[in-house]
Amino acid sequence: MSAPTFLPYGDAGVLVEVDDTAAVLRWSDALQAHRPAGVAEIVPAARTLLVVAEPGADLTELRSALGALDVPNSGAVEDAGPDAEVIEIPVHYDGPDLADVAQLTGLSEDEVVAAHTGEPWRVAFGGFAPGFGYLSGGDPRLEVPRRDEPRTRVPAGAVGLAGTSSGVYPRESPGGWQLIGTTDVALWDLDRDPPALLRQGALVQFTVAQSPGAQR
């Protein structure tokens, strides 16, 4: 793992650049466990963490504290610790791109389903839309490119794959992920506290939906 790069973020904090999303999760875990003084908020992304400082915090001291933080050089993405929140999401594996994903991965459709449900994923960071979580980990055989032609309308609850990530569309929107299924679980609910079901760091276990609509 390369050494992280610490970049100034104006007078508001420090931007930590790392190698990949797995490193982001390791940094996020370390910061949650040993938060340096003066840190108001941590905002993870695909290859960065924005460490937002409290008003008046000394940014030089904050940067030194980040440099001294003990962050593991390796570790499984799904290694969230024994107290990690686990969120189960039942899926109807009836997505329009399931056959294409099977072809791209060299797996059968049943093997794609088994791979998607066989290992937990982890919420690495949020974005794109309220309630959308980028899920990392899972079975590495499921790495597939985005669709060549994005859809103008993807329904809420669609479960997709793109690159090394999986995700669930919280509401109807355009999208280019490979759709392998649908879920009835609400990812975003303003009547829930907090509204977002998927919170950074939580584990997600996909399962085959046991309902009359389930095909498997």
Side-chain angles (χ1 to χ4, degrees):
M1 184 176 72
S2 303
T5 302
F6 302 113
L7 300 174
Y9 193 76
D11 60 356
V14 178
L15 187 68
V16 184
E17 286 188 338
V18 295
D19 286 342
D20 51 29
T21 305
V24 168
L25 279 165
R26 289 193 290 272
W27 265 88
S28 180
D29 288 344
L31 282 167
Q32 295 294 350
H34 305 286
R35 178 177 290 223
V39 173
E41 187 178 3
I42 303 163
V43 184
R47 294 184 178 179
T48 62
L49 295 99
L50 174 59
V51 182
V52 181
E54 294 176 345
D58 187 319
L59 295 181
T60 300
E61 290 184 3
L62 174 56
R63 183 167 173 161
S64 296
L66 292 173
L69 194 66
D70 184 13
V71 181
N73 289 326
S74 62
V77 170
E78 62 273 23
D79 186 13
D83 298 327
E85 179 184 19
V86 180
I87 300 167
E88 181 178 334
I89 299 182
V91 177
H92 305 286
Y93 283 95
D94 54 4
D97 300 323
L98 181 58
D100 289 343
V101 169
Q103 184 175 26
L104 287 166
T105 58
L107 302 173
S108 68
E109 294 184 21
D110 284 338
E111 287 173 332
V112 170
V113 174
H116 196 244
T117 58
E119 298 184 22
W121 299 75
R122 197 166 179 214
V123 185
F125 59 98
F128 173 59
F132 189 93
Y134 288 82
L135 309 181
S136 292
D139 192 313
R141 294 176 298 170
L142 295 179
E143 182 174 350
V144 292
R146 292 171 180 262
R147 284 173 49 82
D148 292 336
E149 295 185 11
R151 293 182 170 88
T152 57
R153 296 178 62 184
V154 174
V159 178
L161 296 166
T164 59
S165 298
S166 187
V168 183
Y169 285 77
R171 63 182 183 186
E172 181 180 295
S173 66
W177 289 41
Q178 307 275 3
L179 305 181
I180 61 173
T182 56
T183 182
D184 300 323
V185 174
L187 274 292
W188 180 258
D189 183 352
L190 289 175
D191 293 327
R192 186 170 53 206
D193 184 19
L197 177 66
L198 303 183
R199 291 172 287 281
Q200 197 272 336
L203 290 171
V204 174
Q205 179 63 63
F206 291 108
T207 62
V208 177
Q210 300 298 319
S211 73
Q215 300 297 312
R216 300 170 190 278

